[in-house]
Amino acid sequence: LIVAIFSALVLALLTVYKAFHRFQLRMRGITEDDVAYRRVVTGQSWEEFCDTLKAAGTAVIGHNSPKDPLNQAEGYRYLARLTRVALENFLECADPLSPQLVALANGNRQCRVCIGSDNPDNLYQNAVIDSRRTYRVRGSRGTVNYLGFGVQSGSYGAPGGLRTVDYKEASELKMQPHAKGKDAGSSPSSSLSSSSSSSSSSPTIEIYIVPEGEHPPPGIPTTNILRSRPQLSEEGLFIVRQTFARRSKELPAELSIEVVSPKGDTASSPPRASPSLSPSNRARERKVPAAEKEADSGLVPIRKFTPKALDAGLSKAGLLVAGASNMFSRWASGFKSNHVNKLPLFDQKTSDSVGGDPNIRYYHSYWEIGEDEALVIDAKPPKCQTWNFQLNNHWMESLDYRFHNIHTNKFLARYRKDGSVRVIVSHR
C-alpha cells in the first residue's frame, strides 16, 4: 500500500511539473519546440546523451560487480547493445502515428540484444503508441504455445517508468478462421515475415486498443479490446509476448498495428500499418522513387522528423541505457549478497513495476561454481502452462542460446516418476 501511494504521488508530481513547465514556457512566449531547437543547435541534446552514456558505465565498475577482464568486457558490450537498441526504438521506431512492432530484446537476431533475464523461449515485441488514440492490431495467430498482449503506460526511457494497465492472453480472445486474399489482414512485422507462407491456415486475430472512457468501434467483442489510460500518461507501449514450447516446431504470430483514430492529426491520409520487411519488400523499397512511395500502400508514410523528435529520442535512449543497466546491476548485486546458488521467489510487485508479465512468477538468484563443481537443482514444477530454467551472466543477459545449451523448459525437460526434474549446471 505504501509503495502504491508513493508511486501515485510521484506520478501526480510529475504531471503537475510538466503542466507547470508548459505554463512557464507559454508565459515567456516560448514553445517546447523552441526549447528543442535551441538544445539541438547548441549541441546540448547530444552532449547530455553522451554524458548519460558515460554515467551508465558506473554499472560496470560499481560495487559488487565482477572485475575480471571477461566480465568487464561483457559489461561494456552490454552497454553498447543497450545503446544500439535504444536508438532503434526511440529514434527510428518511435512515431505513434506510424507504429511498428519491434523487438527491444531479441537474443535470436544476428546482432543480439538481451535485457533483464530475457527468456530464450520468448519473442518480445513492442510498439510505441499514443494513449489518446485508438489502434487496431491484426494478423495470424500462428501456433506458438503462449501469446499475450498488453498495454503499458509510460515509456522505457521516461521518468516514472512503465505500468501495465491492461493485459489479455490469446486464449481470451474471439478469433476468426483465416481469411484468404486481401482481407486477411495487414502484412506481418519485420521479424516474423519469413514464416508467412507456412501460417496461411492460422486463425485471424483482431484487437483494438481504445482509451479508457471512449467507445470502441461498433461490433467489436469486449474480449478483443485493450484499454489505454491517457490520464496516467500520453505515452504508452503495446506489447506482445510469445512463448514457445519447442521453438523450432512452432510458428510465431504475425501481427501489424495501425492507428484508426488519428486524434488531432491534420495529415491528408491516415497512417498505415507497419510493413513487412521481407527481402522482396526491402528490394521494392530500394527501387521505388521517393515521390512514388506515398502511393504504394505497402510502405509506411515518411514521418516528419523534427528537432523535438531528436531531442526526445536521445533523452529517452540515454535514460534506458543508464536506467536499465544500473537497475539490473543492482538486482544482480543483491542476489550475490543474499543468496548464491539458491533460488528464492522474486518480489512480484517489483517485477510488475518494471513491466514484467503479471501472469508469471519469477525466481532469481546468483550462481557460482568452480571448474570441478556442478550445481544440482531439484524441482517439482506446479501445474502451469509452461516453465523454464535458464542461465544469465552478471548483467542479466541470457547466455547465448543460439550456440550453447543454457536453458530447458516444461516441454524439453525429462521428468522423473514423481513429476520432478533435475537440472545440472556444470562447465562440461
Side-chain angles (χ1 to χ4, degrees):
L1 178 60
I2 294 175
V3 173
I5 293 174
F6 178 75
S7 299
L9 180 60
V10 170
L11 183 62
L13 290 174
L14 285 172
T15 303
V16 171
Y17 171 76
K18 289 179 181 178
F20 180 70
H21 179 63
R22 287 193 291 266
F23 173 75
Q24 281 187 315
L25 293 178
R26 285 197 301 269
M27 292 297 292
R28 294 162 55 191
I30 301 174
T31 67
E32 291 182 331
D33 286 336
D34 294 331
V35 175
Y37 297 162
R38 188 178 305 161
R39 287 171 52 80
V40 170
V41 298
T42 61
Q44 185 177 357
S45 296
W46 182 255
E47 289 174 0
E48 289 183 1
F49 171 67
C50 294
D51 288 342
T52 303
L53 294 187
K54 184 176 181 180
T58 59
V60 178
I61 60 176
H63 173 68
N64 230 11
S65 64
K67 300 301 190 295
D68 61 281
L70 176 59
N71 275 297
Q72 286 282 294
E74 284 193 335
Y76 288 115
R77 181 178 64 174
Y78 169 54
L79 294 182
R81 286 171 167 174
L82 288 180
T83 303
R84 169 163 47 86
V85 77
L87 291 172
E88 288 178 0
N89 274 258
F90 296 122
L91 275 182
E92 306 300 338
C93 302
D95 186 1
L97 297 182
S98 296
Q100 301 179 60
L101 278 168
V102 294
L104 187 65
N106 186 350
N108 262 319
R109 61 187 286 185
Q110 289 182 328
C111 298
R112 71 193 312 255
V113 178
C114 304
I115 304 174
S117 191
D118 54 292
N119 185 346
D121 294 320
N122 276 8
L123 173 60
Y124 305 91
Q125 294 172 291
N126 61 267
V128 174
I129 62 173
D130 184 332
S131 298
R132 302 167 299 174
R133 291 175 166 84
T134 296
Y135 294 82
R136 176 171 54 220
V137 179
R138 294 186 294 181
S140 61
R141 165 64 177 82
T143 60
V144 62
N145 181 55
Y146 172 85
L147 179 60
F149 307 94
V151 175
Q152 295 179 331
S153 177
S155 168
Y156 280 115
L162 286 168
R163 177 181 174 185
T164 300
V165 295
D166 204 0
Y167 194 90
K168 289 186 178 180
E169 300 178 352
S171 57
E172 302 175 59
L173 307 178
K174 289 186 178 180
M175 302 186 199
Q176 298 294 326
H178 176 75
K180 296 183 178 180
K182 187 175 181 180
D183 296 329
S186 303
S187 55
S189 61
S190 58
S191 60
L192 304 177
S193 59
S194 60
S195 62
S196 58
S197 61
S198 302
S199 59
S200 58
S201 60
S202 176
T204 298
I205 290 175
E206 186 173 56
I207 302 170
Y208 281 80
I209 306 167
V210 183
E212 191 174 65
E214 293 192 12
H215 295 292
I220 306 301
T222 56
T223 55
N224 292 34
I225 296 172
L226 288 166
R227 291 290 185 176
S228 57
R229 298 183 65 182
Q231 65 271 30
L232 294 179
S233 174
E234 294 178 3
E235 296 181 304
L237 282 178
F238 170 66
I239 59 171
V240 182
R241 287 191 176 95
Q242 306 194 48
T243 304
F244 299 86
R246 295 178 175 87
R247 195 159 193 155
S248 61
K249 298 182 179 181
E250 297 170 39
L251 295 173
E254 297 178 342
L255 305 166
S256 65
I257 180 172
E258 61 183 336
V259 180
V260 294
S261 67
K263 183 176 181 180
D265 293 335
T266 57
S268 57
S269 59
R272 304 190 186 108
S274 52
S276 167
L277 293 184
S278 61
S280 60
N281 213 14
R282 283 196 294 266
R284 183 174 69 222
E285 184 167 5
R286 289 195 298 271
K287 295 176 182 177
V288 175
E292 298 177 17
K293 285 188 176 181
E294 187 64 26
D296 187 339
S297 61
L299 296 173
V300 173
I302 300 174
R303 70 186 177 104
K304 183 180 180 181
F305 186 68
T306 64
K308 185 178 179 181
L310 174 75
D311 185 50
L314 290 178
S315 176
K316 291 179 181 179
L319 284 172
L320 173 67
V321 177
S325 59
N326 276 278
M327 179 179 70
F328 292 124
S329 181
R330 289 198 309 271
W331 285 14
S333 296
F335 304 154
K336 186 176 182 180
S337 298
N338 296 310
H339 41 78
V340 176
N341 294 340
K342 297 179 182 178
L343 206 53
L345 180 65
F346 190 64
D347 180 65
Q348 190 65 30
K349 289 183 178 180
T350 301
S351 170
D352 292 346
S353 69
V354 295
D357 189 332
N359 296 319
I360 295 178
R361 297 298 174 263
Y362 300 90
Y363 294 77
H364 287 298
S365 192
Y366 210 85
W367 61 281
E368 205 169 59
I369 55 175
E371 288 286 342
D372 57 347
E373 295 179 324
L375 182 61
V376 180
I377 302 108
D378 291 303
K380 191 173 183 179
K383 291 183 179 180
C384 57
Q385 187 165 1
T386 189
W387 59 264
N388 92 310
F389 176 88
Q390 68 185 70
L391 296 177
N392 307 318
N393 62 16
H394 174 86
W395 316 109
M396 295 190 71
E397 297 177 294
S398 62
L399 300 186
D400 201 336
Y401 50 83
R402 298 173 300 173
F403 308 113
H404 304 285
N405 183 21
I406 64 95
H407 95 294
T408 189
N409 65 29
K410 175 181 178 179
F411 304 93
L412 301 176
R414 295 182 180 180
Y415 292 82
R416 294 183 283 201
K417 290 182 179 180
D418 63 353
S420 64
V421 296
R422 169 168 287 183
V423 178
I424 299 176
V425 181
S426 65
H427 290 279
R428 59 185 183 273

